[in-house]
Amino acid sequence: MTGLEEDDSAAAEDHADPRGDPFLRTRFAVPARPVTYLRRERLTRHLDQALRTPLTMVNGAAGAGKTLLVADWAARRVRLPVAWLTADAAGDGPGVFWAYLLRALRTAGVALPAGIGVPADATRVGPALPVRLAAELSGRERPVVVVLDEFDRVTAPETAGQLDFVLRHAGTGLRLVLVTRTEPLLPLHRYRAAGELTEIRGAELAFTSHEAAQLLELHGLRLPPAAVSALVERTGGWAAGLRLCALAAGQSPDPEVYLKEFEADRSTVADFLLAEVLKRQDAGTQELLLRVSVLDRFGPGLANAVTGRDDAEAVLARLSRENAFVEHLGHGLYRLHPLFAEILRAHLRMRRPGAEPGLHRRAAAWLRRSGALGEALAHGAAADDWEFTAGALIDDLAVGQFFTGPRSEAMAELFAAMGQDSAGPAPELVRAAGLLARRDVDGGLAHLRRARHELAGYDGTADEAAARLSCALLEALAARLAGAPDRVEDAARAAEGLWDAVPELLDRHPEVTALLLDHLGSARLWAGHFEEARAALNRVADSVPGAATALPREDSLGRLALIDQLNGWPGRAERRAREALAETERFGLPRSSGSGVERLVLAAVAVDRDELGQAQALLDTSADAHPALRDPVLEACRALTTARLHLARGDPGAALRAVEPEVPADVASPWVRCGTALVAAAAHLAEGRARTAAGLLARVPDGQVACAVEAARVQLAAGRTAAAVCLLDRVDPEGRAGPAVTVRAALVRAQAADEAGDGETARGLVGRALAEARRERLRRPFAEAGPWIRPYLRSASPHRPTTGRPAPRSGPSRHEPPPPVVEELSGRERDVLRRLALTMSTEEIAADLYVSVNTVKTHLKSVYRKLTVNRRNEAVRRARELDLL
Amino acid sequence: MRYEIRVDGHLSEPLIKVFPELDHVTMSGQTLLFGHVVDEAHLYGLLARCQSLGLRILEMRQVPE
């Protein structure tokens, strides 16, 4: 965590949820109680226990009065902050859930530091966010009450697990109240056994005859006790049933007779009562209720759009006042009580068969006009109108959301139902995006060709600019994945020509520019134009951080790190790669959401520093990159780093196998071809095939400094000293490349001098190499130099030849990093280690993992052994260094 | 898999139509929904549908084909 200060960027960052939609303020509002609400003291008293137990669960059937009970109680907690969050009907993925929860806490006045992070992926959230939130809440003097209403809609098991984690580590700082129809997936038995659970269940929520009489009286209905008891029996004390009863009976001429009929009827309670209340409304109101049943929430405008009338405002206000089905959410928004929405939909299907798609289409069109793209897409899909849905997405320039992580999976899911028969440029572009997001380049290109063909016939409207820009973005991606830098440049130029046509759209979708520049930068990197690549990538890296651009920012930072590493600057590369990792961390991206190129860079740096175990661990964790970012640069980088690691471990055969399959690309990359040839040459040399090695070197172009130095090294090892020195003289690495290159160059010259019997020059060169290497912790160049260097290393220490630089206190061997992890940690050992990092005690870890204390101790011992440490804080530090946490 | 679900009360026609894949009989203040259930996902879906309509499930069992 960076600090405790509340900073402004927090507000700027989370103005929208990870899907890029603005936060729905109504979801944070404590629902209003109707005037006829009856406060029942026995329940509020029980609910007061919620302040004394970490977890409270209020569960019961739909319409049991759960929400109103908790809302009434919460509204009277004046001394404690109460954060209210109503789960969404569509079911929130973990990312959206946590984004909303953080926002709910802030809305309730709980100051959270910006460093707590913002989830950028709607469907996943990394482990760091719950940890930080728990730490933050546990430091509170007074608890915050968090109410999660309609928690049954939160179905992702990992959300329950993460909530459980936060709750158990937030101590007395958090009081969680879950309002739900079904039991949540939290381990309730454990809370119950420890006396840490307050439960109010359906039976307790049921109205007694006495309470029912009071409720009916609030509705202006006075009944003899026997009639009330009969009613309670018929409804099972069900709050919604009683309320509807009162409404229906109140409108009939003789309520008592009416209620007798209700008792005698054998229909299901909700269905019967709803039909009764519905038929008492006038025809216009009935129609409105039936039609809005396809909407989750609506204002008068949207309601008018689906009814085709203009009186919704007054009707909705009246219905919510009468408390018949319609609830006012505040901010002019309403919703139907979920139970009645469901039953009304059933009535709609029967009375107006086939009307549903049309209603969805009207809703979609209205929402699109009012700028609610996410909801418009959902209704467009529900209407099965794909030309509209794809068109809305493309015209809004939202196609980047297929890739940027935040809602990529939601997009793929939404459009999965689109058949092949919808035609036009927008559906073709959406199909291309879906295929490219899964790295199906040929399939994507086929649809892009069709889209381009269709677009050729159109002429200059603003919508067309958005479609053309989307097309250019996708073409850039396809060309990047295919390894065709020229086509990426063409697409980028085409896109730039369109920027001025849609300025507001670009402001709203920063991911489009970021993705395009990332594609451009990576293609230039592939082509070996490092400076031009850096120019494009820097623009992404310097852009304003945000959830929408987290992915391209991470990727660009990672690729900038790669350029530094290729130029021989391991320290800079490492810093930049760590920045990229921090970017993913900050936005809670899981490892697989980005390209992971920064992990490969760190692995390459680790090889140069002879930290081979760490390099292996990094290579292992970078295996599952986002498919749309798995371009030739990444594949080549992985192959080369893997091969160099094998060489360092003395396994030339494996190194050869690693670089053998050529990375498929339309155009070959100069530095990759060169790097591959050098690794192969070094491997052949190590296996004694000097001639084969020399043959490979003959084909290496010497334009790249790093390549030329490597080539000189191989020449030297193959016994061609003169050729090596000549090559170095020609490329002159000093001043053109970083220490990882110049140190190697110095060592080549030193060896040449040593072979020529010029010990003094060799000593000077080795000394200079040591000085440079020490700052960067480079050890590999000395390890791979060969036995000739040993005497120079031994004598290099106290009085050194003049190099103009301060003498190092020792050779790099003193800076030896701790021994690498030789043995992988098991899954359970990692579990223990992670909890150790949270400063949990052995007993807490045992309880948390459902194992005995002794088992935890055994795991700890083997963790210590594998990490070669003796204490817990050393283990945690070491694990962080090795990126195991 | 064939299942039958017994719910409390008589279902109105709109509610019956929410279960188009099932047959039904009404008897003594209860409704019996029965028919072929594709898999477990379908089964839980049926339960959720009952819950969202406020139906009270009295019994649910698998019956021989």
Short mmCIF file of all heavy atoms in Angstrom, two decimals, chain A residues 239-292:
data_model
loop_
_atom_site.label_atom_id
_atom_site.label_comp_id
_atom_site.label_asym_id
_atom_site.label_seq_id
_atom_site.Cartn_x
_atom_site.Cartn_y
_atom_site.Cartn_z
N ALA A 239 -45.25 -11.34 4.11
CA ALA A 239 -45.45 -9.89 4.11
C ALA A 239 -46.07 -9.38 2.81
O ALA A 239 -47.06 -8.64 2.83
CB ALA A 239 -44.12 -9.19 4.36
N ALA A 240 -45.50 -9.80 1.68
CA ALA A 240 -46.01 -9.30 0.40
C ALA A 240 -47.46 -9.74 0.20
O ALA A 240 -48.28 -8.99 -0.34
CB ALA A 240 -45.15 -9.81 -0.75
N GLY A 241 -47.76 -10.98 0.64
CA GLY A 241 -49.12 -11.48 0.49
C GLY A 241 -50.10 -10.65 1.29
O GLY A 241 -51.17 -10.27 0.79
N LEU A 242 -49.72 -10.32 2.51
CA LEU A 242 -50.61 -9.51 3.36
C LEU A 242 -50.82 -8.13 2.74
O LEU A 242 -51.93 -7.59 2.74
CB LEU A 242 -50.00 -9.38 4.76
CG LEU A 242 -50.06 -10.66 5.60
CD1 LEU A 242 -49.19 -10.51 6.84
CD2 LEU A 242 -51.49 -10.99 5.99
N ARG A 243 -49.74 -7.58 2.22
CA ARG A 243 -49.82 -6.24 1.65
C ARG A 243 -50.76 -6.22 0.45
O ARG A 243 -51.61 -5.36 0.31
CB ARG A 243 -48.41 -5.83 1.22
CG ARG A 243 -48.10 -4.39 1.45
CD ARG A 243 -46.65 -4.14 1.14
NE ARG A 243 -46.37 -4.36 -0.26
CZ ARG A 243 -45.13 -4.48 -0.77
NH1 ARG A 243 -44.09 -4.41 0.03
NH2 ARG A 243 -44.95 -4.66 -2.05
N LEU A 244 -50.58 -7.21 -0.41
CA LEU A 244 -51.42 -7.28 -1.60
C LEU A 244 -52.88 -7.53 -1.23
O LEU A 244 -53.80 -6.97 -1.83
CB LEU A 244 -50.94 -8.40 -2.52
CG LEU A 244 -49.69 -8.09 -3.32
CD1 LEU A 244 -49.24 -9.33 -4.08
CD2 LEU A 244 -49.95 -6.95 -4.28
N CYS A 245 -53.06 -8.39 -0.24
CA CYS A 245 -54.40 -8.68 0.28
C CYS A 245 -55.09 -7.39 0.69
O CYS A 245 -56.24 -7.14 0.35
CB CYS A 245 -54.26 -9.51 1.53
SG CYS A 245 -54.93 -11.10 1.35
N ALA A 246 -54.33 -6.60 1.46
CA ALA A 246 -54.90 -5.35 1.94
C ALA A 246 -55.27 -4.45 0.76
O ALA A 246 -56.33 -3.82 0.76
CB ALA A 246 -53.90 -4.65 2.85
N LEU A 247 -54.39 -4.41 -0.24
CA LEU A 247 -54.68 -3.59 -1.41
C LEU A 247 -55.92 -4.07 -2.15
O LEU A 247 -56.81 -3.28 -2.49
CB LEU A 247 -53.49 -3.64 -2.39
CG LEU A 247 -52.36 -2.68 -2.13
CD1 LEU A 247 -51.19 -3.02 -3.05
CD2 LEU A 247 -52.83 -1.25 -2.38
N ALA A 248 -55.98 -5.38 -2.39
CA ALA A 248 -57.11 -5.93 -3.16
C ALA A 248 -58.40 -5.78 -2.37
O ALA A 248 -59.43 -5.35 -2.91
CB ALA A 248 -56.84 -7.39 -3.49
N ALA A 249 -58.31 -6.13 -1.07
CA ALA A 249 -59.54 -6.08 -0.26
C ALA A 249 -60.01 -4.64 -0.09
O ALA A 249 -61.21 -4.36 -0.12
CB ALA A 249 -59.28 -6.73 1.10
N GLY A 250 -59.04 -3.73 0.08
CA GLY A 250 -59.40 -2.34 0.30
C GLY A 250 -60.18 -1.75 -0.86
O GLY A 250 -60.97 -0.82 -0.69
N GLN A 251 -59.94 -2.30 -2.04
CA GLN A 251 -60.62 -1.76 -3.22
C GLN A 251 -61.94 -2.49 -3.51
O GLN A 251 -62.65 -2.13 -4.44
CB GLN A 251 -59.70 -1.85 -4.44
CG GLN A 251 -58.59 -0.81 -4.37
CD GLN A 251 -57.48 -1.09 -5.34
OE1 GLN A 251 -57.33 -2.21 -5.83
NE2 GLN A 251 -56.68 -0.09 -5.62
N SER A 252 -62.23 -3.54 -2.76
CA SER A 252 -63.50 -4.25 -3.02
C SER A 252 -64.57 -3.69 -2.09
O SER A 252 -64.27 -3.18 -1.01
CB SER A 252 -63.31 -5.75 -2.80
OG SER A 252 -63.27 -6.01 -1.43
N PRO A 253 -65.84 -3.80 -2.51
CA PRO A 253 -66.93 -3.19 -1.73
C PRO A 253 -67.04 -3.78 -0.33
O PRO A 253 -67.26 -3.06 0.63
CB PRO A 253 -68.18 -3.48 -2.57
CG PRO A 253 -67.76 -4.32 -3.73
CD PRO A 253 -66.30 -4.42 -3.76
N ASP A 254 -66.90 -5.07 -0.20
CA ASP A 254 -66.97 -5.67 1.13
C ASP A 254 -65.71 -6.47 1.42
O ASP A 254 -65.60 -7.64 1.03
CB ASP A 254 -68.22 -6.56 1.22
CG ASP A 254 -68.44 -7.05 2.64
OD1 ASP A 254 -67.47 -6.96 3.44
OD2 ASP A 254 -69.55 -7.48 2.94
N PRO A 255 -64.74 -5.85 2.08
CA PRO A 255 -63.45 -6.52 2.29
C PRO A 255 -63.57 -7.90 2.95
O PRO A 255 -62.88 -8.83 2.56
CB PRO A 255 -62.69 -5.55 3.21
CG PRO A 255 -63.35 -4.22 2.97
CD PRO A 255 -64.78 -4.50 2.65
N GLU A 256 -64.45 -8.02 3.92
CA GLU A 256 -64.50 -9.30 4.64
C GLU A 256 -64.96 -10.44 3.74
O GLU A 256 -64.41 -11.54 3.77
CB GLU A 256 -65.41 -9.18 5.87
CG GLU A 256 -64.62 -8.77 7.10
CD GLU A 256 -65.44 -8.86 8.36
OE1 GLU A 256 -65.79 -9.99 8.73
OE2 GLU A 256 -65.74 -7.80 8.94
N VAL A 257 -65.97 -10.14 2.95
CA VAL A 257 -66.45 -11.16 2.02
C VAL A 257 -65.34 -11.49 1.02
O VAL A 257 -65.09 -12.66 0.71
CB VAL A 257 -67.71 -10.65 1.27
CG1 VAL A 257 -68.11 -11.65 0.18
CG2 VAL A 257 -68.84 -10.42 2.24
N TYR A 258 -64.68 -10.45 0.59
CA TYR A 258 -63.60 -10.66 -0.38
C TYR A 258 -62.54 -11.59 0.20
O TYR A 258 -62.07 -12.53 -0.46
CB TYR A 258 -62.97 -9.32 -0.76
CG TYR A 258 -61.77 -9.51 -1.63
CD1 TYR A 258 -61.92 -9.77 -2.98
CD2 TYR A 258 -60.49 -9.50 -1.08
CE1 TYR A 258 -60.83 -10.03 -3.78
CE2 TYR A 258 -59.39 -9.76 -1.86
CZ TYR A 258 -59.57 -10.01 -3.21
OH TYR A 258 -58.48 -10.27 -4.00
N LEU A 259 -62.16 -11.33 1.45
CA LEU A 259 -61.11 -12.14 2.06
C LEU A 259 -61.57 -13.58 2.25
O LEU A 259 -60.76 -14.51 2.17
CB LEU A 259 -60.67 -11.52 3.39
CG LEU A 259 -59.87 -10.23 3.23
CD1 LEU A 259 -59.60 -9.58 4.57
CD2 LEU A 259 -58.55 -10.48 2.50
N LYS A 260 -62.83 -13.79 2.49
CA LYS A 260 -63.37 -15.14 2.60
C LYS A 260 -63.16 -15.89 1.28
O LYS A 260 -62.75 -17.05 1.26
CB LYS A 260 -64.88 -15.10 2.91
CG LYS A 260 -65.25 -14.84 4.37
CD LYS A 260 -65.65 -16.16 5.01
CE LYS A 260 -65.97 -16.02 6.50
NZ LYS A 260 -65.08 -15.20 7.29
N GLU A 261 -63.43 -15.16 0.19
CA GLU A 261 -63.24 -15.77 -1.13
C GLU A 261 -61.78 -16.16 -1.33
O GLU A 261 -61.47 -17.22 -1.84
CB GLU A 261 -63.65 -14.79 -2.23
CG GLU A 261 -65.14 -14.72 -2.47
CD GLU A 261 -65.50 -13.54 -3.36
OE1 GLU A 261 -64.62 -13.12 -4.16
OE2 GLU A 261 -66.62 -13.04 -3.23
N PHE A 262 -60.90 -15.23 -0.92
CA PHE A 262 -59.46 -15.48 -1.06
C PHE A 262 -59.05 -16.73 -0.29
O PHE A 262 -58.29 -17.58 -0.78
CB PHE A 262 -58.69 -14.25 -0.59
CG PHE A 262 -57.21 -14.47 -0.45
CD1 PHE A 262 -56.48 -15.03 -1.50
CD2 PHE A 262 -56.55 -14.14 0.72
CE1 PHE A 262 -55.11 -15.23 -1.37
CE2 PHE A 262 -55.19 -14.34 0.85
CZ PHE A 262 -54.47 -14.90 -0.19
N GLU A 263 -59.59 -16.85 0.93
CA GLU A 263 -59.26 -18.02 1.74
C GLU A 263 -59.70 -19.31 1.05
O GLU A 263 -59.01 -20.32 1.10
CB GLU A 263 -59.94 -17.94 3.11
CG GLU A 263 -59.17 -17.11 4.12
CD GLU A 263 -60.08 -16.68 5.25
OE1 GLU A 263 -60.88 -17.50 5.71
OE2 GLU A 263 -60.00 -15.50 5.63
N ALA A 264 -60.88 -19.24 0.43
CA ALA A 264 -61.44 -20.45 -0.18
C ALA A 264 -60.70 -20.80 -1.48
O ALA A 264 -60.64 -21.95 -1.86
CB ALA A 264 -62.92 -20.25 -0.46
N ASP A 265 -60.13 -19.77 -2.13
CA ASP A 265 -59.47 -20.04 -3.40
C ASP A 265 -58.21 -20.87 -3.16
O ASP A 265 -57.58 -20.76 -2.13
CB ASP A 265 -59.08 -18.70 -4.06
CG ASP A 265 -58.63 -18.91 -5.47
OD1 ASP A 265 -57.43 -19.23 -5.67
OD2 ASP A 265 -59.47 -18.78 -6.37
N ARG A 266 -57.87 -21.69 -4.15
CA ARG A 266 -56.75 -22.58 -3.93
C ARG A 266 -55.55 -22.22 -4.80
O ARG A 266 -54.60 -22.98 -4.90
CB ARG A 266 -57.18 -24.02 -4.17
CG ARG A 266 -58.56 -24.28 -3.63
CD ARG A 266 -58.78 -25.64 -3.16
NE ARG A 266 -57.89 -26.07 -2.10
CZ ARG A 266 -58.02 -27.26 -1.53
NH1 ARG A 266 -58.96 -28.07 -1.94
NH2 ARG A 266 -57.21 -27.63 -0.57
N SER A 267 -55.61 -21.05 -5.44
CA SER A 267 -54.47 -20.65 -6.27
C SER A 267 -53.26 -20.37 -5.40
O SER A 267 -53.37 -20.20 -4.19
CB SER A 267 -54.79 -19.37 -7.04
OG SER A 267 -56.02 -19.48 -7.67
N THR A 268 -52.09 -20.30 -6.04
CA THR A 268 -50.90 -19.90 -5.28
C THR A 268 -51.08 -18.42 -4.92
O THR A 268 -51.65 -17.64 -5.68
CB THR A 268 -49.62 -20.08 -6.11
OG1 THR A 268 -49.71 -19.24 -7.24
CG2 THR A 268 -49.44 -21.50 -6.55
N VAL A 269 -50.60 -18.10 -3.74
CA VAL A 269 -50.93 -16.80 -3.14
C VAL A 269 -50.50 -15.61 -4.01
O VAL A 269 -51.31 -14.74 -4.33
CB VAL A 269 -50.29 -16.71 -1.74
CG1 VAL A 269 -50.54 -15.35 -1.13
CG2 VAL A 269 -50.82 -17.81 -0.87
N ALA A 270 -49.22 -15.62 -4.41
CA ALA A 270 -48.69 -14.45 -5.12
C ALA A 270 -49.43 -14.25 -6.44
O ALA A 270 -49.83 -13.15 -6.79
CB ALA A 270 -47.20 -14.64 -5.39
N ASP A 271 -49.60 -15.35 -7.15
CA ASP A 271 -50.23 -15.30 -8.46
C ASP A 271 -51.66 -14.75 -8.35
O ASP A 271 -52.06 -13.84 -9.07
CB ASP A 271 -50.25 -16.72 -9.02
CG ASP A 271 -50.74 -16.76 -10.45
OD1 ASP A 271 -50.64 -15.71 -11.11
OD2 ASP A 271 -51.21 -17.82 -10.87
N PHE A 272 -52.40 -15.30 -7.40
CA PHE A 272 -53.78 -14.90 -7.21
C PHE A 272 -53.87 -13.41 -6.87
O PHE A 272 -54.61 -12.66 -7.50
CB PHE A 272 -54.40 -15.73 -6.09
CG PHE A 272 -55.79 -15.29 -5.71
CD1 PHE A 272 -56.88 -15.71 -6.46
CD2 PHE A 272 -56.00 -14.45 -4.62
CE1 PHE A 272 -58.16 -15.31 -6.11
CE2 PHE A 272 -57.27 -14.04 -4.28
CZ PHE A 272 -58.36 -14.47 -5.02
N LEU A 273 -53.05 -13.03 -5.89
CA LEU A 273 -53.15 -11.64 -5.42
C LEU A 273 -52.70 -10.66 -6.49
O LEU A 273 -53.30 -9.60 -6.67
CB LEU A 273 -52.31 -11.46 -4.16
CG LEU A 273 -52.89 -12.17 -2.94
CD1 LEU A 273 -51.91 -12.12 -1.79
CD2 LEU A 273 -54.21 -11.55 -2.53
N LEU A 274 -51.65 -11.05 -7.23
CA LEU A 274 -51.19 -10.14 -8.27
C LEU A 274 -52.27 -9.95 -9.32
O LEU A 274 -52.56 -8.83 -9.72
CB LEU A 274 -49.93 -10.69 -8.92
CG LEU A 274 -49.45 -9.74 -10.02
CD1 LEU A 274 -48.01 -9.35 -9.77
CD2 LEU A 274 -49.61 -10.32 -11.38
N ALA A 275 -52.88 -11.06 -9.74
CA ALA A 275 -53.95 -10.96 -10.73
C ALA A 275 -55.07 -10.07 -10.22
O ALA A 275 -55.63 -9.25 -10.96
CB ALA A 275 -54.46 -12.35 -11.09
N GLU A 276 -55.36 -10.20 -8.93
CA GLU A 276 -56.42 -9.41 -8.32
C GLU A 276 -56.10 -7.92 -8.36
O GLU A 276 -56.91 -7.10 -8.76
CB GLU A 276 -56.61 -9.83 -6.86
CG GLU A 276 -57.26 -11.17 -6.69
CD GLU A 276 -58.70 -11.13 -7.18
OE1 GLU A 276 -59.48 -10.34 -6.62
OE2 GLU A 276 -59.02 -11.87 -8.13
N VAL A 277 -54.87 -7.60 -7.92
CA VAL A 277 -54.50 -6.19 -7.87
C VAL A 277 -54.40 -5.63 -9.29
O VAL A 277 -54.81 -4.50 -9.56
CB VAL A 277 -53.18 -5.99 -7.10
CG1 VAL A 277 -52.76 -4.53 -7.12
CG2 VAL A 277 -53.36 -6.45 -5.67
N LEU A 278 -53.87 -6.46 -10.19
CA LEU A 278 -53.70 -6.01 -11.58
C LEU A 278 -55.05 -5.68 -12.22
O LEU A 278 -55.19 -4.64 -12.86
CB LEU A 278 -52.98 -7.10 -12.38
CG LEU A 278 -52.51 -6.71 -13.78
CD1 LEU A 278 -51.49 -5.59 -13.72
CD2 LEU A 278 -51.91 -7.91 -14.51
N LYS A 279 -56.02 -6.54 -12.00
CA LYS A 279 -57.28 -6.32 -12.72
C LYS A 279 -58.03 -5.12 -12.16
O LYS A 279 -58.97 -4.64 -12.79
CB LYS A 279 -58.14 -7.59 -12.72
CG LYS A 279 -58.98 -7.83 -11.48
CD LYS A 279 -59.79 -9.10 -11.66
CE LYS A 279 -60.60 -9.37 -10.39
NZ LYS A 279 -60.85 -10.80 -10.19
N ARG A 280 -57.62 -4.64 -10.99
CA ARG A 280 -58.26 -3.45 -10.45
C ARG A 280 -57.68 -2.15 -11.01
O ARG A 280 -58.17 -1.08 -10.72
CB ARG A 280 -58.16 -3.46 -8.92
CG ARG A 280 -59.15 -4.39 -8.28
CD ARG A 280 -58.96 -4.49 -6.79
NE ARG A 280 -60.09 -5.14 -6.16
CZ ARG A 280 -60.40 -6.42 -6.29
NH1 ARG A 280 -59.67 -7.21 -7.04
NH2 ARG A 280 -61.45 -6.93 -5.68
N GLN A 281 -56.55 -2.28 -11.75
CA GLN A 281 -55.97 -1.08 -12.37
C GLN A 281 -56.68 -0.80 -13.70
O GLN A 281 -57.23 -1.73 -14.31
CB GLN A 281 -54.47 -1.30 -12.65
CG GLN A 281 -53.67 -1.71 -11.44
CD GLN A 281 -53.54 -0.61 -10.39
OE1 GLN A 281 -53.67 0.56 -10.71
NE2 GLN A 281 -53.31 -1.00 -9.15
N ASP A 282 -56.63 0.47 -14.14
CA ASP A 282 -57.25 0.75 -15.43
C ASP A 282 -56.40 0.15 -16.55
O ASP A 282 -55.25 -0.26 -16.33
CB ASP A 282 -57.41 2.27 -15.63
CG ASP A 282 -56.08 2.97 -15.66
OD1 ASP A 282 -55.33 2.78 -16.62
OD2 ASP A 282 -55.77 3.70 -14.67
N ALA A 283 -56.98 0.09 -17.74
CA ALA A 283 -56.35 -0.62 -18.85
C ALA A 283 -54.95 -0.08 -19.17
O ALA A 283 -54.01 -0.84 -19.39
CB ALA A 283 -57.23 -0.54 -20.09
N GLY A 284 -54.80 1.25 -19.16
CA GLY A 284 -53.51 1.85 -19.47
C GLY A 284 -52.45 1.43 -18.47
O GLY A 284 -51.32 1.10 -18.83
N THR A 285 -52.82 1.44 -17.18
CA THR A 285 -51.87 1.07 -16.14
C THR A 285 -51.50 -0.41 -16.25
O THR A 285 -50.33 -0.78 -16.08
CB THR A 285 -52.46 1.38 -14.76
OG1 THR A 285 -52.90 2.72 -14.75
CG2 THR A 285 -51.44 1.16 -13.67
N GLN A 286 -52.51 -1.24 -16.53
CA GLN A 286 -52.23 -2.67 -16.70
C GLN A 286 -51.21 -2.88 -17.81
O GLN A 286 -50.24 -3.64 -17.65
CB GLN A 286 -53.51 -3.42 -17.07
CG GLN A 286 -54.45 -3.60 -15.90
CD GLN A 286 -55.54 -4.62 -16.24
OE1 GLN A 286 -55.36 -5.48 -17.08
NE2 GLN A 286 -56.66 -4.48 -15.57
N GLU A 287 -51.42 -2.18 -18.91
CA GLU A 287 -50.53 -2.33 -20.05
C GLU A 287 -49.11 -1.89 -19.69
O GLU A 287 -48.13 -2.54 -20.02
CB GLU A 287 -51.08 -1.49 -21.22
CG GLU A 287 -50.48 -1.79 -22.56
CD GLU A 287 -50.70 -3.24 -23.03
OE1 GLU A 287 -51.76 -3.83 -22.68
OE2 GLU A 287 -49.82 -3.76 -23.71
N LEU A 288 -49.03 -0.77 -18.95
CA LEU A 288 -47.73 -0.27 -18.55
C LEU A 288 -47.01 -1.28 -17.66
O LEU A 288 -45.83 -1.59 -17.88
CB LEU A 288 -47.88 1.06 -17.80
CG LEU A 288 -46.58 1.67 -17.28
CD1 LEU A 288 -46.45 3.11 -17.72
CD2 LEU A 288 -46.45 1.57 -15.78
N LEU A 289 -47.73 -1.83 -16.70
CA LEU A 289 -47.11 -2.80 -15.79
C LEU A 289 -46.61 -4.02 -16.56
O LEU A 289 -45.52 -4.52 -16.30
CB LEU A 289 -48.10 -3.21 -14.70
CG LEU A 289 -48.30 -2.16 -13.61
CD1 LEU A 289 -49.51 -2.50 -12.74
CD2 LEU A 289 -47.05 -2.07 -12.74
N LEU A 290 -47.44 -4.50 -17.50
CA LEU A 290 -47.02 -5.66 -18.27
C LEU A 290 -45.77 -5.35 -19.09
O LEU A 290 -44.83 -6.15 -19.15
CB LEU A 290 -48.15 -6.10 -19.22
CG LEU A 290 -49.37 -6.73 -18.54
CD1 LEU A 290 -50.47 -6.97 -19.57
CD2 LEU A 290 -48.99 -8.05 -17.87
N ARG A 291 -45.77 -4.16 -19.69
CA ARG A 291 -44.66 -3.85 -20.60
C ARG A 291 -43.35 -3.58 -19.86
O ARG A 291 -42.28 -3.98 -20.32
CB ARG A 291 -45.02 -2.66 -21.47
CG ARG A 291 -46.04 -3.05 -22.53
CD ARG A 291 -46.42 -1.88 -23.38
NE ARG A 291 -47.35 -2.32 -24.41
CZ ARG A 291 -47.25 -1.99 -25.68
NH1 ARG A 291 -46.27 -1.22 -26.07
NH2 ARG A 291 -48.12 -2.44 -26.55
N VAL A 292 -43.40 -2.87 -18.73
CA VAL A 292 -42.14 -2.58 -18.04
C VAL A 292 -41.58 -3.81 -17.36
O VAL A 292 -40.47 -3.77 -16.84
CB VAL A 292 -42.26 -1.42 -17.00
CG1 VAL A 292 -42.59 -0.11 -17.69
CG2 VAL A 292 -43.27 -1.77 -15.92
#
